[in-house]
Structure formats: C-alpha cells, structure tokens
Amino acid sequence: MTATDRAGRRAPVALLTDGAFTDGEATFSAMIVSGGLIRWTGHAQDVPTESVDEIVRLENRLVTPVLVDAHVHTSDTGQALAGVDLSGARSVSQALDLVAIAAAQHPGRPVYAYSWDETDWAEQRPFTSAELDRATSGADVYATRIDMHSACASSTLMDRAQAWHAPGSDGTGLIARDAHHLVREAHRGGVTAQDRGHFIDTAMRASLEAGIGVLHEMGAPVLTSEEDLLAVLAAGRRPNTPEVVGYWGQLVTSADEASALAARLGVQGLAGDLNVDGSIGSRTAALREPYADAIGMDGFAYLSPEEVAVHVAACTRAGLQAGFHVIGDAGMDCAIEGLQRAAADVGAGALGGARHRLEHAEMCHPEHLTALADLGVVASVQPAFDAHWGGSEGMYAARLGAERSSRTNPFADLVGAGVQLALGSDSPVTPFAPWEAMRACVLHHQKDQRLDVATALRLHTRGGHAAARDDRAGRLVPGAAASYVVWDQRGGLPSLRDGVAAPVAMRTVLRGTAVLDRL
C-alpha cells in the first residue's frame, strides 16, 4: 500500500479512524489515504500493521465521497451571491426597497437582482420598468425570476437591449424568450473579466463549503458566452478547486461540426441548457394541455423532433454526449421522439452507449419513463424544485392544477424504471445545498415518489459521475481518489426528516488535499 511521489519518495500515509464512513452502500469506520488515493478501508480493529504519518480521530463523524452538482451556472451563481436576493420579499414594494438599497450603495453600477417570485408577493404580479426606474433613479437593473426563464429590467437596460418590442416582451418590462435573451446579453456586456473571475471564485468557494467537489457547468449561447465557459473550465483546472465538467448547449448538424466545437471549447458534450422548452413558473414549458391559470396558453417548443434527432445523431457519431433542457410533457414528447429518430439512424446500441442527458425532466408520463430507460438516457434532476414549488398549495399546482402537479418530478418512478438519475441544484435557481436536495427526495410531496437517504446520497455522488460517463468515481474504495467530506453529523446518515438539521461540511478533501478545513 506504500505510495511514492514522482521523485520516488514515500508519500505520507494518513489513517482516518473512529468515523462513520459511507458511500451510500459500503459502511466502515477507518480509511487509509496516501498519494491522493484511498489505500485501504475497513474497521478500526482491522487496520493493517504499517507505519502511518498521521492519525485523524473523527469521533464518529460522517464521511462521504465529495458530492457532485450535476447542473450549475457557476459565474451566475457567484454573481447572485454578490447580488440582491429577492427570494425573501413578499411584495412588490419590499422587492423594490431591496433593489433601491443596492443601487444607492453602488451608484453608477448596474444592479443584478434574482429569485423574485410573484406568486409569493401580495400583488401577485412582477414589478415594472417604471417602478424600477423610480426606485433606483434610473439605474440599469436586471432582475431575474427564480426560474431564470423570465426577468424584469429597467427602462435604460430595455432601451439599450432594444427589447421593448421583441417577442416575449409585454411592454411593461417583464421579458421572456427573445426579449429576455437581448436583455441578458446587454447586461452581460457590463461584466468585466475581473468581475467574472471574482464571481467564479466566489461560487467555487461556496461549493466547497457545501461539500461539493464536482460541478457540471451548463453553458449555452443564450445564457452566457464562450469566454465565460472557458474561464469556468480554466478555474476548475487550478489546484484546490472543484473539478468542472463542461457542457455547451449549441445545436449542430454533423459529427464533424460537433467534434470541432467540443474540441475548441474543451467540453464533455453539446448538452445541458439546449432548450426544448422553458419553465413552468414562466409558463414557457411546453405542455400537452394549457396552463390552468392562463387560458389557451400551453408554453413554447423551441426545437422540433427533427432538430433533436439530427443533433443527437451528430453527437453520437462524434462520441459526445448530447442533451437538452426539457420540463413540460409536450417538451418531453418532442425530446423522446427526436431521440428515437436518432436511434433509428445511428443504432440503439450506439445511442444508448453515448449516455445522452435530459436536464430537469419534470413532467414524465409512464410512456416517457419506459422510453428514457430503453434509450439509456440520464435524467439530471433538481429535487429542490419539488420542495420549493410542489404540493397541493405550491406554484406548480397553481400553474398546472392539482392533478398534473401531483405527477411532477417522479423520482421513485424514474429509479424504478431503470433510468439513471443525477442530482443538481441549477444554481443560482436554487442554492448549493446538497443535503436539502436529498431531503427533498426523502420528503417528496408525493409519498410514492420518495427515496431513502442512502439512495439519494448515491444519486448525488456516483449518479453525478455516471451522468458524465464515469462509472468508477463516487465510491470510497481502495484505488479511488481520496476526495471526501467529513461532516459534523455523527453516527451515520441523517434521517433528513422535518426539523433535523442538515449536515455541515467540516473538512472537504480533493485528491488527498484538504481544501476546506473546520475541524
């Protein structure tokens, strides 16, 4: 078990003992690490008789593999952490007060606000450009809805983006679709390279504090820029930072085009936020039947089955992962039809082996579950969405009606059908809070869709790795990377029932190096 470094010197050997180690499957009480790898696991009374350089007594603390967040917008997360959080506002006036304070503190600077949700506000409506103008004395304000599929903007920003009359603008400053893309691009123009670096560093630090060691970055032309993606990937290659697996949501039509684009950007696949449809909260998710609270409105399909099929076939032939953002049931119809057409083109075996991804997959009917399993597609899901918006009184019930809402985010059905799941936050839509995501699995609003804690942990560790086509990582076994988290939780996995505090990371270790240490 002795490891050596590149110069042939003996690597330090550390024994971690008296712990509660688990990867959601194996459990044990001691582990030896050396040279960035796990060398031995077992029980304290069976520790091999060899010299160790350090003994760490964990006092029965829980130890797990580092967690994987399978859907992240890194620089947006950092920008949100530095911006104005409107999630606690309960009225238009409260939200405007928060924005006004930020504008006064930083005169002349654009204001970024996020996570407003008009369904929580007394007025049950968003704010307007005119209201933002008055509150900030005419500052540039870009304020994203909690799902980030719509936003409100000040008049100066709307003017500069030329968004007033673009599709998706209602003329009051509320924007979605094309108008939102224009405003987001105009706002992005005010972000400097120094700003971006600060945002990325802030987000990466927050991920390590949450026990997250791997981030799946979801870039796309309508969301961010190639420069932003490349900066995030570069940050992920630095020592002592989370590993970053990059995806870029851009449509291609040939294997050569797919290979060239992926190689230029250094991404795992042309997947992620390549949108088949939008979101439920913004009423842009494509539905089979109209929204319950908007007569005649059934959302928007941004891609056709043929476009999906051509993209998937091109990526399959290039050896890349394809994937799409899909939320509504009509959106899922489109995605699956496209995947099935691609399978007929390239062969079911080749398509299944590529392990393509669908992000969110919130409205799945039984026929969808069967098709996803048959196609070998990964579902990258966000359990916090059910915690925030599910249930009979939640936003999904308001938008969809109670019956359709009760069928959203069917995690147990997906697992039961044999679909590989990975868990993520879609940060900054919901924050880095992996144990709260696991709690949302355990306490799903629909009892028949609940998962146990050990299963949720596996989905947040090895499930995330598998979604990026790595079936070896995410386990605490000899030969694996020594990437693990020591939590304040004692005595094994928490129950995650209501009122039980979520574990807090005390030490986050990446490949043998402690990158966060509170012990």
Side-chain angles (χ1 to χ4, degrees), residues 55-98:
I55 297 176
V56 181
R57 301 193 183 280
L58 297 174
E59 301 177 349
N60 206 29
R61 289 188 177 92
L62 173 67
V63 183
T64 71
V66 293
L67 302 172
V68 180
D69 193 315
H71 191 119
V72 174
H73 305 284
T74 305
S75 61
D76 281 350
T77 295
Q79 183 174 211
L81 290 170
V84 184
D85 183 359
L86 300 180
S87 61
R90 292 297 175 263
S91 69
V92 169
S93 60
Q94 285 185 7
L96 290 169
D97 287 345
L98 292 170

Side-chain angles (χ1 to χ4, degrees), residues 96-97 99-101 103 130-138:
L96 290 169
D97 287 345
V99 173
I101 291 169
E131 289 170 326
L132 290 170
D133 297 343
R134 287 194 294 271
T136 64
S137 300

Side-chain angles (χ1 to χ4, degrees), residues 404-421:
R404 278 190 296 178
S405 173
S406 71
R407 300 199 305 267
T408 56
N409 296 296
F411 303 142
D413 285 350
L414 284 160
V415 171
V419 179
Q420 173 67 57
L421 292 192

Side-chain angles (χ1 to χ4, degrees), residues 181-443:
H181 298 162
L182 290 170
V183 169
R184 180 161 39 207
E185 183 67 26
H187 169 74
R188 188 191 306 157
V191 175
T192 67
Q194 183 178 3
D195 291 336
R196 180 184 297 117
H198 173 68
F199 296 155
I200 292 170
D201 290 346
T202 299
M204 288 190 160
R205 181 66 184 177
S207 77
L208 294 175
E209 290 176 349
I212 298 166
V214 182
L215 303 173
H216 291 189
E217 170 67 14
M218 299 293 164
V222 299
L223 291 177
T224 182
S225 64
E226 291 186 2
E227 292 78 10
D228 185 90
L229 172 70
L230 292 170
V232 173
L233 293 175
R237 292 191 292 270
R238 297 197 308 249
N240 305 334
T241 61
E243 176 188 351
V244 176
V245 180
Y247 293 92
W248 184 247
Q250 183 170 331
L251 211 62
V252 294
T253 59
S254 72
D256 287 346
E257 183 186 3
S259 296
L261 179 58
R264 179 166 62 80
L265 296 177
V267 293
Q268 171 84 13
L270 302 177
D273 280 319
L274 178 49
N275 285 25
V276 169
D277 66 350
S279 74
I280 295 170
S282 292
R283 299 190 189 90
T284 51
L287 306 184
R288 288 180 175 181
E289 301 293 335
Y291 285 87
D293 60 353
I295 296 172
M297 182 180 289
D298 57 7
F300 299 91
Y302 302 132
L303 298 176
S304 68
E306 180 60 24
E307 289 173 310
V308 170
V310 170
H311 180 78
V312 171
C315 290
T316 304
R317 291 191 172 100
L320 298 167
Q321 285 179 284
F324 305 90
H325 162 119
V326 56
I327 286 182
D329 49 5
M332 185 61 72
D333 291 340
C334 173
I336 287 176
E337 182 181 343
L339 284 158
Q340 289 171 334
R341 289 189 189 185
D345 181 6
V346 302
L351 186 134
R355 205 171 295 183
H356 301 307
R357 299 174 54 140
L358 294 181
E359 308 298 318
H360 313 308
E362 290 199 75
M363 295 181 69
C364 290
H365 296 289
E367 64 271 23
H368 296 145
L369 303 176
T370 301
L372 292 173
D374 289 345
L375 292 161
V377 171
V378 175
S380 169
V381 300
Q382 293 69 46
F385 289 7
D386 180 73
H388 285 298
W389 303 307
S392 60
E393 303 298 323
M395 182 268 289
Y396 288 172
R399 293 286 190 267
L400 304 173
E403 197 276 329
R404 278 190 296 178
S405 173
S406 71
R407 300 199 305 267
T408 56
N409 296 296
F411 303 142
D413 285 350
L414 284 160
V415 171
V419 179
Q420 173 67 57
L421 292 192
L423 306 188
S425 63
D426 199 6
S427 182
V429 175
T430 67
F432 290 140
W435 287 103
E436 294 305 329
M438 289 185 264
R439 192 195 305 271
C441 291
V442 172
L443 299 179

Side-chain angles (χ1 to χ4, degrees), residues 437-458:
M438 289 185 264
R439 192 195 305 271
C441 291
V442 172
L443 299 179
H444 195 291
H445 280 96
Q446 300 302 313
K447 292 183 178 180
D448 61 349
Q449 298 304 325
R450 292 178 175 175
L451 304 174
D452 61 72
V453 181
T455 298
L457 175 63
R458 291 195 297 271

